[in-house]
Amino acid sequence: MEKLNIQFGEMSVSSDSEAPSEKPTAVHAPRIAPTYLNLLKKMASDASSPAPVSRNQAPASSRVNDKGLSEVEKREQIKFAQVKRKKGFVHYERVDGKKVNVVQGLELHTGIFDAEEQMKIVDCVYQYQQLGQKGQLRARTYSEPKKWMRGKGRATIQFGCCYNYAVDKNGNPPGIVRDEEVDPLPVVFRQMIKRMVRWHVLPPTCVPNSCIVNIYEEGDCIPPHIDHHDFVRPFCTVSFLSECNILFGSSLKIVSPGEFSGPVSIPLPKGSVLVLQGNGADVAKHCVPGVPYKRISVTFRKMDESKSPFNYKPDPELLKIQPLVLHRPPVGEPSTQQSVAENEKKMKHDKPDSPPAAQTTNQNVLTGNEEFPPLGSFSSSSKNRSTRRFK
């Protein structure tokens, strides 16, 4: 099998965070940016020809400023402070005769992955899809059913474990198939996990060790469901290429093929991370109606130890991730913690980051050995207006 070794380069402080907006972000079809291929070529060139370092100048990672932080650590603190987090979702329904906040525990994080990183992730997904189509991945890693009606035929790539959505031809029930092996988590996905744990999106007590990639074409969907309890909580899903809505509710209705209705709709901006736990994961069902444009989502989950594949071995790399320790600046300067709190408040009004869409390429980019740097009721039809929308 062709080996992919796509690495993230050093993050830079992005200035393209968009201003707040009361209206939901409009969904646009991904367009091929004229500069995309040039950007990839430049990144590949930079990786193969690193800039020379002056003999008298220490690498950025080792230079320490007057606050005791290296340049890389300082940039990470800045980027971390720019992350926006929306928590405290509320929607009450009657469940078993009791009034319950069915979306308790949901969190939406934006600003975790910048536009350049999103392009590299999408490029990695498409390269693995090509390997799967050529039969160069393990048997059940890649799946692409034939499209026989709207909403049917979404392509998927599974890493870390093989998961059955329904009883398979061998009689295995829904859940993790313990005697089946799929490909391990790619480097780029392990780097994503490190980022999310380090930046306080996921707790260090629940580090994902598996994921499933959903590759949507126009009209593809995910029907109403609750994620299987072979996976512990919390888990999360990261969105790419285009914005779409995800629906929540204790009861979601199928209106027509690929069309669903439910009481809560949450827009998922490009690059956003939606964390599911509590009632939002276990009481409310969720679904994604037929998408209007191409989309990719990567759902990261930790397997229940008693359900993991028989030959599974923990990745030592993922066992030692520690959350970022917040820097406390001198008196008079806002702390990183204060900046994070302010951004959480802004999420009610801010328009989340929506970086440029990426396109696929057949070329493996950035083959260096650098680690992921430390910085660095709704209806999908327009007829039903009774939904509750979170912005």
Side-chain angles (χ1 to χ4, degrees):
M1 187 189 78
E2 181 181 352
K3 184 180 180 181
L4 295 180
N5 188 22
I6 302 175
Q7 305 261 350
F8 284 19
E10 181 174 306
M11 289 180 65
S12 59
V13 178
S14 174
S15 61
D16 56 349
S17 295
E18 298 194 16
S21 172
E22 287 293 334
K23 297 181 179 179
T25 306
V27 180
H28 299 288
R31 296 184 177 85
I32 299 177
T35 58
Y36 177 69
L37 289 178
N38 291 334
L39 175 60
L40 289 176
K41 290 177 182 177
K42 180 179 184 302
M43 290 189 291
S45 174
D46 290 346
S48 60
S49 304
V53 178
S54 168
R55 293 174 181 239
N56 299 324
Q57 182 182 14
S61 59
S62 64
R63 290 200 300 273
V64 178
N65 58 36
D66 57 358
K67 296 178 182 177
L69 296 176
S70 69
E71 292 299 322
V72 170
E73 290 171 334
K74 185 177 179 181
R75 288 197 296 272
E76 180 178 22
Q77 293 278 342
I78 293 172
K79 284 293 293 182
F80 176 72
Q82 293 175 340
V83 172
K84 296 176 182 177
R85 310 174 194 267
K86 180 174 178 58
K87 304 179 183 181
F89 289 90
V90 177
H91 176 75
Y92 285 92
E93 294 184 33
R94 287 279 177 185
V95 179
D96 295 331
K98 297 180 180 179
K99 195 175 181 182
V100 176
N101 178 13
V102 297
V103 290
Q104 170 270 329
L106 296 182
E107 299 178 6
L108 184 63
H109 303 251
T110 60
I112 304 296
F113 304 105
D114 66 24
E116 185 175 294
E117 289 170 339
Q118 290 180 49
M119 286 194 289
K120 295 171 190 172
I121 295 165
V122 168
D123 184 71
C124 175
V125 169
Y126 281 136
Q127 289 184 46
Y128 269 98
Q129 183 179 32
Q130 290 170 4
L131 292 178
Q133 291 169 336
K134 295 176 183 177
Q136 295 178 350
L137 300 177
R138 290 179 183 173
R140 295 188 63 177
T141 298
Y142 181 74
S143 173
E144 188 174 343
K146 291 183 179 179
K147 294 183 182 295
W148 53 275
M149 65 182 293
R150 174 178 167 83
K152 301 292 184 180
R154 181 182 77 256
T156 61
I157 312 176
Q158 302 190 71
F159 295 110
C161 72
C162 176
Y163 174 75
N164 269 350
Y165 289 96
V167 177
D168 64 17
K169 61 182 180 182
N170 298 320
N172 293 310
I176 296 174
V177 184
R178 304 190 70 187
D179 58 357
E180 186 83 41
E181 290 189 25
V182 296
D183 283 67
L185 286 165
V187 172
V188 70
F189 288 171
R190 296 201 302 270
Q191 293 169 340
M192 291 174 69
I193 291 170
K194 291 178 187 177
R195 170 67 62 78
M196 291 187 291
V197 174
R198 187 164 170 79
W199 285 19
H200 301 249
V201 175
L202 295 172
T205 54
C206 194
V207 178
N209 50 19
S210 71
C211 78
I212 183 165
V213 180
N214 290 289
I215 304 172
Y216 300 75
E217 297 295 330
E218 181 180 343
D220 287 345
C221 68
I222 292 184
H225 69 284
I226 289 177
D227 281 49
H228 202 284
H229 280 83
D230 281 1
F231 302 99
V232 299
R233 275 55 169 157
F235 58 92
C236 72
T237 185
V238 192
S239 300
F240 300 100
L241 289 183
S242 64
E243 179 179 298
C244 76
N245 291 324
I246 184 169
L247 309 185
F248 284 89
S250 60
S251 178
L252 299 175
K253 297 180 180 178
I254 300 175
V255 178
S256 61
E259 301 293 337
F260 314 109
S261 66
V264 177
S265 171
I266 300 176
L268 300 178
K270 290 178 285 184
S272 64
V273 183
L274 180 69
V275 178
L276 293 86
Q277 59 189 325
N279 293 343
D282 295 327
V283 175
K285 293 181 179 180
H286 59 276
C287 67
V288 175
V291 297
Y293 307 108
K294 287 186 177 183
R295 175 179 185 258
I296 288 174
S297 69
V298 185
T299 297
F300 291 95
R301 301 181 288 199
K302 179 180 180 180
M303 296 177 279
D304 184 313
E305 291 182 5
S306 65
K307 303 292 185 179
S308 58
F310 294 122
N311 294 330
Y312 169 75
K313 293 181 180 179
D315 186 338
E317 236 183 291
L318 301 179
L319 296 177
K320 57 186 179 183
I321 309 174
Q322 293 298 320
L324 177 66
V325 177
L326 303 181
H327 167 64
R328 295 186 179 278
V331 178
E333 293 186 18
S335 67
T336 306
Q337 184 72 58
Q338 290 171 332
S339 299
V340 171
E342 290 175 2
N343 279 327
E344 287 182 2
K345 291 180 181 178
K346 290 180 182 179
M347 278 293 286
K348 284 188 176 181
H349 308 288
D350 282 11
K351 178 182 179 182
D353 296 341
S354 188
Q359 74 169 95
T360 182
T361 175
N362 293 326
Q363 178 186 6
N364 288 349
V365 292
L366 297 184
T367 56
N369 295 320
E370 293 182 1
E371 271 297 320
F372 189 92
L375 170 62
S377 78
F378 173 80
S379 170
S380 45
S381 65
S382 59
K383 295 179 181 179
N384 192 328
R385 303 294 184 184
S386 61
T387 183
R388 178 173 187 177
R389 293 178 181 270
F390 288 94
K391 301 179 181 179

